[in-house]
Amino acid sequence: MKKIVGKGYNKIDGMAISTGKPVYTDDLAMKDALVIKLLRSPHAFAKIKNIDTSKAQGLDGVECVFTYKDVPNVRFTLAGQSYPEPSPYDRLILEDMVRYVGDEVAIVAAKDEKTAEKALGLIKVEYEVLQPVLDFEEAIGHKSIIHPENDLHCNFNIGLDKNRNIATYHKAEFGNDMEEEIAKCDVVVEQTYYTQAQAQAMMETFRSFCYLDHTGRLIIVSSTQIPFHVRRHVARALEIPASKIRVIKPRIGGGFGAKQTAAVEIFNALVTLRTGKPSKIVYDRQETFSCTTSRHAMRIKVRMGATNDGTIRAVDIEALSDTGAHGEHAPTVFAVAGEKTLPLYNKAVALRYHGHAVYTNKMPAGALRGYGATQGTFAQECAVNELAHKLGMDPTELRLKNLIKEGESTIAYGKTFASSALDACIQKGKQMIGWDEKYPSRQITENKVRAVGMAVTMQGSGIAHVDTASAEIKLNDDGSYTLYVGSTDMGTGSDTILAQMAAETLNTQLDNIVVNASDTDISPYDPGSYASSTTYVTGMAVVRAAEELIANMKQMAARKLDAVEDEFEFDGEKVYSTKGDKSISIQKLAETLLVGTVSKQLSGSGTYGSPVSPPPFIAGFAEIELDKETGKFDVIDYVAVVDCGTVINPNLARIQVEGGIAQGIGMAMYEDVVYTSKGRMVTDSFMQYKIPCREDIASIRVDFEESHEPTGPFGAKSVGEVVINTPPPAIAAAVFNACGVNVRSLPITTEKIFMGVNAK
């Protein structure tokens, strides 16, 4: 019987955050730190012919001005990925070529923000303006080559062809010949779907500050998801040993994947190294929107064939992805779009996913919650809903007939699912939404219709064979424990659930666990918080560390009590002999470690990397109300039933699901990163870029169907990313059921529905 795991504890840092304690990056910055501002390109694609910084450098209060002539000439990637990164090394700190509006041209460090801003206006730049590539469907073979440099580097063969603006090519094919199987099918759906670029829209913008400690080491305090990767990127870009760098992560005001890219740290690390003075850089909202990363926009063509009885025989997906000016996450996001979709329907005998990610002269794309699975899910699930309509089948029944079940294998990627309750999720979701009574639609008034739609999705838990996390637990002198982890709590509550796992294993109270996280000097290695890895990968490392500490406590107790170690057990409060009356309390054992010749600091360490990435699942159901005269609609109810294995903390898991669904509704209905014809981003503030507010979200109802994942801590899988994937296809299906219009290009706007209804 679990005492701590499975209970809805409050976040251990919840009160401090909600009461505004000064725990974020800029709160901790030194008051005399130099303020860094960046001069940015007004052009989407241009060559710098001449740059004059003399007036800026002569301004009183300006410490330094750097251009491409003053920085190291080493290519690197900013992708937060384990080394050797699959993303191409296609960046320099500054370069004589700019590739998007907002690209960095010069670095200014001054005594205050006003002086730095004034200095930016004194820098004179002469550009040779080039023809930009702004339409990703025209990028391949375009006469403008976005990366003409000869020193672009890849650690792997990712199919890069820079002379054709191809950042990566990927093909995965399984089973029988695709064309033969498609020809055998009774019913075939063949459609093209578009998913837009989406901004992460976290509340805390990018920021970092640096200083040199008493030994001359560079200390970086940053709002980042990837402290250890930041250290590696800075070391490479500045050509200094990683041992000379320490990265500390305080509280983070949200990330959603954006802060898996090291967007700012290199700039103030360079300034502090060159000047010896503390420095800080804080992006404003416009910079965060237009000069960091967004979700990869994709065009996805789907062919799906089935027999008349509803057996899906073939799924063929061809995708084109817009990676923007740089290839951060280009190969991995593209691959995931297929890897997290094709395995769902395992009755198919022919499966294929292929295509390209291309460079364009727009802000780079990067990681965003869902990481490719969101795009792939929209296309595949829309196709399944369209297939169900063509077959005259209920889409829930079509899925139940074809979905992979627990213990089954799939020809796609050779996966076997050891845990799955997706079928139960669908059944429960149908009941919660009232599917049988409401599907497909009901007339409410002369113009208004209510309709339902649904979708399913899967994700992963960590990156199989790649990401490895470590944890350490120390027994303190008062009998409490300190848990050291390198993972990053972005507001998700991961510190809390890791403490719960430690407390459960050590059979103690949650208050007895102190969490120390994300300091590269102190924390054991962790790749960071991404790829839905913290609960599953870091959590398992925590369990192993606690188990090792228990073994060490038994060993020390046996030495202290002059007994045989094998006869000792641990009950959370004491170590005791099963063959006598010898025992010692944990507090007493801790006290005795302070003195004596047989004493030592007791700790346990654990490391975990998994050969599998067990998927969590969600069945999502949307109910909308639509006015057929205007095309306006509202989501009036959304039901999600989740299989994330054992639910470690129901309260925090529920919040994760609710937040992800709200983001998914935003992607489905409102959010869109828009550019002018010259490549300037229009949606660069919350005035232009709409995300759902509380009034937009009428009802989100969440429930769980637990499975037990044998490779996860206490049977747990992930929940952080999978939650965003179902709203776009489920809402698209509900719109079709309401008015007969298939909107295959996100976002699903009133205008698109209105035009579709009138076209009919």
Side-chain angles (χ1 to χ4, degrees):
M1 181 67 181
K2 299 182 182 69
K3 297 180 180 179
I4 307 295
V5 164
K7 304 297 190 297
Y9 285 91
N10 294 331
K11 289 174 59 180
I12 59 178
D13 59 353
M15 185 59 69
I17 290 174
S18 61
T19 54
K21 298 294 183 185
V23 293
Y24 294 93
T25 299
D26 199 34
D27 297 325
L28 305 175
M30 297 171 180
K31 300 303 180 185
D32 62 344
L34 296 172
V35 174
I36 295 173
K37 291 292 178 179
L38 303 175
L39 182 68
R40 298 187 178 279
S41 169
H43 305 294
F45 195 29
K47 185 87 170 175
I48 298 175
K49 296 175 65 177
N50 186 52
I51 184 165
D52 182 0
T53 63
S54 57
K55 289 184 178 180
Q57 288 177 322
L59 184 65
D60 185 44
V62 171
E63 184 71 25
C64 60
V65 180
F66 299 138
T67 71
Y68 69 90
K69 302 173 185 178
D70 308 306
V71 300
N73 190 41
V74 177
R75 295 276 170 192
F76 56 89
T77 177
L78 293 180
Q81 298 173 314
S82 294
Y83 181 82
E85 306 94 341
S87 294
Y89 289 18
D90 57 12
R91 282 186 179 268
L92 295 175
I93 300 173
L94 297 172
E95 196 168 351
D96 63 350
M97 179 173 282
V98 289
R99 296 182 173 86
Y100 68 98
V101 175
D103 205 352
E104 297 87 10
V105 174
I107 305 167
V108 172
K111 64 179 182 180
D112 55 37
E113 185 172 357
K114 184 178 180 180
T115 303
E117 293 280 8
K118 185 176 180 180
L120 291 181
L122 297 175
I123 300 173
K124 303 303 178 185
V125 187
E126 183 183 355
Y127 296 96
E128 177 190 351
V129 179
L130 307 172
Q131 182 181 351
V133 182
L134 298 175
D135 185 342
F136 76 111
E137 293 185 277
E138 298 177 357
I140 296 178
H142 195 284
K143 67 179 182 179
S144 293
I145 300 173
I146 296 172
H147 281 276
E149 65 270 18
N150 293 321
D151 58 345
L152 192 155
H153 169 71
C154 293
N155 292 317
F156 305 101
N157 180 9
I158 60 171
L160 181 140
D161 186 350
K162 66 183 183 65
N163 293 327
R164 298 179 63 216
N165 294 323
I166 296 172
T168 188
Y169 170 73
H170 178 87
K171 183 176 183 180
E173 196 165 13
F174 310 97
N176 299 341
D177 180 84
M178 179 60 65
E179 301 308 322
E180 290 181 6
E181 291 301 330
I182 286 285
K184 293 177 185 176
C185 292
D186 300 311
V187 178
V188 176
V189 168
E190 186 170 354
Q191 295 293 347
T192 301
Y193 305 91
Y194 289 86
T195 62
Q196 77 280 45
Q198 181 188 22
Q200 294 89 347
M202 65 284 182
M203 289 299 98
E204 184 195 29
T205 63
F206 284 86
R207 57 203 54 208
S208 167
F209 83 89
C210 293
Y211 63 94
L212 300 177
D213 72 5
H214 62 287
T215 68
R217 292 178 75 221
L218 180 67
I219 313 301
I220 303 173
V221 181
S222 176
S223 179
T224 179
Q225 297 173 223
I226 49 165
F228 285 90
H229 295 330
V230 165
R231 182 175 65 176
R232 187 176 70 255
H233 293 327
V234 172
R236 178 180 175 85
L238 300 185
E239 299 180 293
I240 61 175
S243 61
K244 299 295 184 183
I245 303 170
R246 177 184 182 185
V247 180
I248 301 169
K249 187 271 325 167
R251 292 293 90 184
I252 293 183
F256 305 119
K259 293 172 184 174
Q260 196 188 337
T261 299
V264 295
E265 295 87 354
I266 288 172
F267 299 120
N268 60 330
L270 174 68
V271 168
T272 293
L273 278 180
R274 293 285 179 87
T275 67
K277 296 182 179 181
S279 67
K280 74 172 184 177
I281 183 168
V282 177
Y283 273 14
D284 61 24
R285 184 59 60 183
Q286 184 182 42
E287 286 177 300
T288 297
F289 267 116
S290 60
C291 307
T292 56
T293 65
S294 63
R295 186 185 296 281
H296 293 73
M298 287 192 183
R299 181 195 71 197
I300 305 177
K301 298 178 180 179
V302 181
R303 287 194 302 167
M304 182 176 291
T307 54
N308 283 326
D309 67 353
T311 302
I312 297 174
R313 298 277 299 177
V315 181
D316 186 17
I317 302 176
E318 179 188 0
L320 183 71
S321 175
D322 185 352
T323 193
H326 296 284
E328 267 91 42
H329 300 277
T332 42
V333 167
F334 190 87
V336 166
E339 186 181 347
K340 304 304 181 187
T341 50
L342 288 186
L344 269 172
Y345 298 102
N346 74 323
K347 307 304 182 289
V349 294
L351 296 169
R352 180 167 62 190
Y353 174 74
H354 60 115
H356 302 85
V358 295
Y359 287 115
T360 60
N361 290 115
K362 290 184 280 189
M363 180 182 74
L368 202 165
R369 192 179 206 166
Y371 200 86
T374 312
Q375 295 96 309
T377 295
F378 175 68
Q380 180 167 275
E381 288 301 288
C382 282
V384 172
N385 285 325
E386 294 194 48
L387 180 64
H389 178 72
K390 275 188 128 177
L391 288 166
M393 287 184 69
D394 185 314
T396 63
E397 298 305 318
L398 178 62
R399 288 178 171 88
L400 288 169
K401 181 180 181 68
N402 288 280
L403 284 170
I404 190 168
K405 295 179 174 59
E406 183 170 294
E408 292 183 350
S409 299
T410 169
I411 59 173
Y413 305 93
K415 294 181 181 292
T416 299
F417 293 171
S419 61
S420 174
L422 182 54
D423 51 349
C425 292
I426 293 173
Q427 298 289 10
K428 181 177 282 188
K430 285 182 65 175
Q431 182 180 12
M432 290 174 65
I433 201 80
W435 181 268
D436 291 338
E437 297 78 37
K438 297 176 180 178
Y439 174 78
S441 63
R442 296 168 294 148
Q443 196 79 25
I444 303 301
T445 67
E446 183 178 352
N447 290 327
K448 291 191 175 181
V449 179
R450 289 191 175 182
V452 291
M454 66 91 60
V456 298
T457 189
M458 59 175 274
Q459 194 82 35
S461 302
I463 304 175
H465 297 288
V466 175
D467 285 337
T468 300
S470 296
E472 183 178 353
I473 302 179
K474 179 181 71 174
L475 175 63
N476 299 318
D477 56 5
D478 63 345
S480 65
Y481 304 93
T482 299
L483 170 62
Y484 296 91
V485 291
S487 59
T488 299
D489 192 325
M490 297 178 283
T492 57
S494 63
D495 285 355
T496 303
I497 63 168
L498 295 175
Q500 285 182 253
M501 294 183 197
E504 183 72 44
T505 308
L506 291 164
N507 199 12
T508 190
Q509 297 301 311
L510 188 62
D511 290 344
N512 215 26
I513 307 292
V514 177
V515 181
N516 188 300
S518 298
D519 180 333
T520 58
D521 268 13
I522 299 171
S523 306
Y525 178 80
D526 192 286
S529 292
Y530 60 85
S532 304
S533 61
T534 305
T535 297
Y536 178 73
V537 180
T538 309
M540 203 62 173
V542 168
V543 171
R544 289 185 172 183
E547 290 172 343
E548 184 176 280
L549 176 56
I550 291 171
N552 290 339
M553 288 191 293
K554 290 179 183 179
Q555 183 184 62
M556 182 57 72
R559 293 175 65 183
K560 292 286 185 183
L561 299 174
D562 193 23
V564 179
E565 178 185 347
D566 291 346
E567 68 184 55
F568 277 85
E569 292 294 335
F570 170 73
D571 65 6
E573 295 183 359
K574 64 182 181 299
V575 179
Y576 62 93
S577 172
T578 57
K579 297 182 179 179
D581 58 359
K582 292 183 177 181
S583 68
I584 185 170
S585 70
I586 298 305
Q587 185 172 352
K588 185 66 176 177
L589 178 62
E591 290 172 355
T592 64
L593 296 176
L594 298 175
V595 295
T597 58
V598 293
S599 296
K600 68 174 183 177
Q601 177 76 65
L602 290 185
S603 65
S605 62
T607 298
Y608 187 68
S610 179
V612 296
S613 178
F617 300 95
I618 288 186
F621 297 80
E623 182 176 5
I624 69 166
E625 184 172 288
L626 184 143
D627 187 324
K628 290 196 288 186
E629 187 174 32
T630 65
K632 183 182 183 302
F633 73 97
D634 296 297
V635 177
I636 60 174
D637 193 16
Y638 201 94
V639 166
V641 186
V642 186
D643 164 24
C644 57
T646 299
V647 181
I648 302 296
N649 186 316
N651 289 353
L652 299 184
R654 187 177 303 278
I655 291 169
Q656 284 283 291
V657 180
E658 291 172 350
I661 288 170
Q663 283 185 303
I665 291 172
M667 184 176 180
M669 296 175 63
Y670 313 116
E671 300 182 43
D672 194 5
V673 175
V674 178
Y675 294 85
T676 69
S677 60
K678 294 187 179 298
R680 185 184 70 80
M681 187 183 293
V682 176
T683 51
D684 59 359
S685 80
F686 282 123
M687 294 295 290
Q688 288 79 31
Y689 188 87
K690 175 166 175 56
I691 62 173
C693 68
R694 187 62 190 90
E695 289 188 352
D696 297 317
I697 306 298
S699 170
I700 295 176
R701 294 184 288 143
V702 176
D703 208 343
F704 297 92
E705 280 289 338
E706 290 193 353
S707 61
H708 183 86
E709 173 52 47
T711 65
F714 304 101
K717 298 184 285 190
S718 70
V719 74
E721 285 189 280
V722 69
V723 292
I724 197 173
N725 297 340
T726 57
I731 291 171
V735 167
F736 173 78
N737 290 335
C739 64
V741 174
N742 268 310
V743 180
R744 302 185 180 97
S745 175
L746 294 177
I748 304 166
T749 62
T750 296
E751 291 81 3
K752 291 176 183 177
I753 297 171
F754 179 82
M755 296 298 288
V757 169
N758 280 276
K760 288 180 62 182

